[in-house]
Amino acid sequence: HKEGSGPSKGANLFEQAGTVMNAVAAAVNLNIFNNHCDKICMANIAQLVNNIHSLFLTQDDQCITTPTYHIFDMYKEHQGATAVETLVTNNEELSTSISVSASTKDGKTLLTIANLSPREDATICLEAVGLDLPNTAEGVLLHHDDIHAHNTFEDPNAVVPQQLTVDLTSAITVPKAGVLALRF
């Protein structure tokens, strides 16, 4: 992170702008927590406002969300749900650059996929065991071409999620440093 990248321009020692890179790191950790929910019953973010890896930035009467906030919003439906085992197979490189978790609640499934690679898109095919996948899913994608991109008071929507419909019958591409949440 560049010094002075937060709203105070360096006046606050621990302040940093939350970037796409931070959002991907949050997604990976939330996937880990979800995949180990039999051992972890609660996890908290340390700072909510104007600090390293926070969800919000404020200054005077202004308040904006960070890319990390959007990840927490995309993952919220995992809370109180039943975890579903997920595996990434058939590609050694892909299995180290993709983080996945899934859960079910009230008859709906949430699948969250994070592409950790800052340089390469990831193409994946979903295969369900003991479950029929629908043909499509509603998706939310958080992505920006620049992993250092962040929201500012001047441009509060520089990094925001996009709503999309995803065809589950064919390969899915998750862009570099992208996080995709699928609901079906």
Side-chain angles (χ1 to χ4, degrees):
H1 296 89
K2 294 179 183 175
E3 264 191 58
S5 64
S8 74
K9 307 294 185 229
N12 180 348
L13 177 63
F14 298 110
E15 183 179 87
Q16 293 176 345
T19 66
V20 170
M21 179 175 53
N22 295 122
V24 172
V28 169
N29 282 288
L30 291 174
N31 281 340
I32 291 168
F33 296 156
N34 195 46
N35 286 327
H36 295 281
C37 64
D38 59 324
K39 301 171 202 76
I40 301 170
C41 62
M42 185 174 82
N44 299 310
I45 190 162
Q47 300 84 213
L48 289 177
V49 181
N50 285 5
N51 216 313
I52 298 168
H53 206 67
S54 64
L55 302 184
F56 305 98
L57 296 177
T58 65
Q59 185 175 22
D60 300 323
D61 64 346
Q62 296 178 302
C63 180
I64 61 171
T65 56
T66 66
T68 301
Y69 165 84
H70 294 300
I71 295 299
F72 274 71
D73 189 47
M74 292 165 61
Y75 276 63
K76 68 185 176 192
E77 292 171 33
H78 281 311
Q79 189 172 11
T82 301
V84 174
E85 184 177 359
T86 57
L87 300 170
V88 178
T89 61
N90 295 338
N91 185 318
E92 187 176 314
E93 182 180 320
L94 185 62
S95 66
T96 59
S97 67
I98 291 290
S99 171
V100 180
S101 72
S103 63
T104 61
K105 183 177 180 181
D106 300 328
K108 298 198 181 208
T109 299
L110 174 63
L111 173 64
T112 48
I113 308 165
N115 181 356
L116 287 60
S117 173
R119 294 184 261 315
E120 302 286 330
D121 293 348
T123 302
I124 61 172
C125 294
L126 299 182
E127 181 181 338
V129 177
L131 165 73
D132 290 327
L133 285 176
N135 291 336
T136 61
E138 293 306 309
V140 179
L141 174 66
L142 186 73
H143 164 72
H144 195 285
D145 284 333
D146 180 3
I147 64 169
H148 302 290
H150 58 280
N151 296 335
T152 63
F153 293 111
E154 297 76 29
D155 189 2
N157 296 313
V159 182
V160 293
Q162 306 164 358
Q163 304 288 325
L164 47 104
T165 300
V166 177
D167 180 0
L168 300 181
T169 64
S170 60
I172 299 168
T173 299
V174 181
K176 64 181 181 182
V179 180
L180 177 63
L182 297 174
R183 291 172 184 84
F184 52 88

